[in-house]
Amino acid sequence: MSAIKGTDVRTISVGGGINTRWSDIDKSRLYCIGSLMYSGLAVALHPLTVVKIRRQVAADGNPTTTTNTISQSSSSGLQSIRQYYRGLSVVLSLAVPARIIYVSVLECSRELIDHNARHLLLNPPSSLKPYGEELIGLLPLVAPLSGGIAGGLAAVSSQLAVVPMDVISQKLMVMDDSMYQQRGSAINVTKSIIANEGWQGLFKGFGLSLFTSLPAGTIWWATYAGCKDQLSIYGDPSNDRCLESTSVGSIPLGVRQGCIQILSAFNAAFVSAVLTQPLDTIKTRLQVGSSNSAGIPSNEGIVSIAKELASTSKLYHGLLPRIVHMGIWGSVLSSAYEYLKVVSRKDYNP
């Protein structure tokens, strides 16, 4: 068992774990271990991203044909598997700085917002003191509020690295075999984009990406923090005596805490994916274009995309892979990240 020195009552979270402050963390250790962890998860879930992108840019609107084109155009099983990992090198190279920006903004802003909000509710100004009891009743809303605002800010700030990553990797994902063999490298795609559209081509859909990432990040973290806060009573060791007489009390504490993490993450993924899928579909189509009969992406504008996607069903192409991706990504990454924050503490002793 690991030990953390100097832990006081202010550092114990409602879930029974260590509520580590951003100032307590060794940033170099966090970023080093976190980058390896993030890269491994990205490799495992990349095929779901490829399936989602192909479904979203399908010209015929038939979601079954887009996933089949990967295997039908391949001459061997190995080539079929490799097509599910197109654009992975781009994702891994640009995702690391993007995640560093994301995590830094997320933790700094969440800690700041949470601290100030709780201080305001517990120590209101004189004009609000008559409403002291009502303000205290708002304390359960602090966690989802701070998480939502911090998640939105983090998602927006990381777009400087995420958008070029999406533009390049998505173009590689939708290429057919013949085109990919001729110019299917990140360098060639980047040169082609710059030659045809200039450097701004790498940031195509940047505004729409911001408009998508803000609500997606806000909704995900707000839902996740809210669910985790509501379910935390079942993962708090101090409540074990109260739960002994219930069926929940017979479940080991570690299992309960893991279930809380997974349920919160998948609930957040479902809500966020359903509410923001239309924006994500339009963004993807704008950055990649729809595939014509030859499998070549065609350039479109927002107006033409909106007209083509007038049907609600088309706006939700790729929804299931996105929910699964966000759910697995969120549950695994959030669980690992919470543990990573503990082992990255400056006073951590293994």
Side-chain angles (χ1 to χ4, degrees), residues 32 41 60 64 104 116 142 149 220 239 263:
C32 181
L41 190 56
D60 59 3
T64 60
S104 300
N116 290 334
V142 172
I149 295 176
W220 199 98
N239 290 329
L263 286 173

Side-chain angles (χ1 to χ4, degrees), residues 50-111:
V50 175
V51 172
K52 177 185 79 77
I53 297 300
R54 289 198 169 215
R55 289 170 69 93
Q56 288 178 324
V57 302
D60 59 3
N62 186 353
T64 60
T65 61
T66 53
T67 53
N68 291 339
T69 55
I70 298 179
S71 57
Q72 289 176 350
S73 60
S74 302
S75 57
S76 70
L78 179 60
Q79 286 180 327
S80 177
I81 294 175
R82 290 179 62 183
Q83 288 200 24
Y84 282 99
Y85 286 92
R86 285 184 179 179
L88 178 61
S89 60
V90 180
V91 172
L92 293 180
S93 61
L94 291 179
V96 171
R99 296 309 293 185
I100 291 176
I101 296 172
Y102 187 96
V103 170
S104 300
V105 174
L106 174 69
E107 291 297 337
C108 290
S109 57
R110 180 166 57 179
E111 185 175 296

Side-chain angles (χ1 to χ4, degrees), residues 6 22 37 40 90 99 101 103 105 134 142 198 207 221 223 240 243 250 289 301 311 315 334:
W22 183 239
M37 178 183 67
V90 180
R99 296 309 293 185
I101 296 172
V103 170
V105 174
E134 290 82 356
V142 172
W221 282 105
T223 307
D240 280 354
L243 297 173
S250 61
S311 169
L315 289 173
S334 59

Side-chain angles (χ1 to χ4, degrees), residues 7-243:
T7 302
D8 58 28
V9 294
R10 294 172 299 172
T11 61
I12 302 297
S13 68
V14 291
I18 301 297
N19 186 13
T20 304
R21 299 185 183 93
W22 183 239
S23 56
D24 298 330
I25 292 177
D26 182 340
K27 309 301 188 300
S28 59
R29 189 190 307 168
L30 176 73
Y31 292 140
C32 181
I33 301 176
S35 296
L36 294 175
M37 178 183 67
Y38 177 87
S39 298
L41 190 56
V43 172
L45 297 180
H46 192 74
L48 283 173
T49 302
V50 175
V51 172
K52 177 185 79 77
I53 297 300
R54 289 198 169 215
R55 289 170 69 93
Q56 288 178 324
V57 302
D60 59 3
N62 186 353
T64 60
T65 61
T66 53
T67 53
N68 291 339
T69 55
I70 298 179
S71 57
Q72 289 176 350
S73 60
S74 302
S75 57
S76 70
L78 179 60
Q79 286 180 327
S80 177
I81 294 175
R82 290 179 62 183
Q83 288 200 24
Y84 282 99
Y85 286 92
R86 285 184 179 179
L88 178 61
S89 60
V90 180
V91 172
L92 293 180
S93 61
L94 291 179
V96 171
R99 296 309 293 185
I100 291 176
I101 296 172
Y102 187 96
V103 170
S104 300
V105 174
L106 174 69
E107 291 297 337
C108 290
S109 57
R110 180 166 57 179
E111 185 175 296
L112 180 64
I113 295 169
D114 186 271
H115 173 76
N116 290 334
R118 292 183 187 278
H119 183 270
L120 176 63
L121 294 178
L122 294 174
N123 302 279
S126 56
S127 59
L128 296 178
K129 283 186 177 180
Y131 307 98
E133 293 185 3
E134 290 82 356
L135 293 176
I136 292 177
L138 297 177
L139 284 174
L141 299 177
V142 172
L145 176 65
S146 58
I149 295 176
L153 292 175
V156 169
S157 62
S158 63
Q159 292 305 302
L160 288 172
V162 170
V163 172
M165 177 187 76
D166 284 344
V167 171
I168 298 171
S169 64
Q170 288 170 1
K171 286 185 178 293
L172 292 171
M173 292 175 193
V174 300
M175 285 183 177
D176 60 16
D177 277 358
S178 60
M179 184 186 301
Y180 188 79
Q181 291 174 1
Q182 295 175 8
R183 48 180 181 175
S185 70
I187 295 177
N188 289 336
V189 170
T190 303
K191 289 181 178 178
S192 175
I193 293 173
I194 295 175
N196 295 327
E197 305 176 51
W199 286 97
Q200 62 269 26
L202 295 174
F203 293 90
K204 190 173 184 179
F206 184 80
L208 191 57
S209 185
L210 288 177
F211 191 62
T212 304
S213 63
L214 178 59
T218 300
I219 294 170
W220 199 98
W221 282 105
T223 307
Y224 172 78
C227 290
K228 191 176 177 183
D229 188 58
Q230 292 297 315
L231 296 173
S232 62
I233 185 176
Y234 300 107
D236 192 343
S238 63
N239 290 329
D240 280 354
R241 291 186 178 180
C242 300
L243 297 173

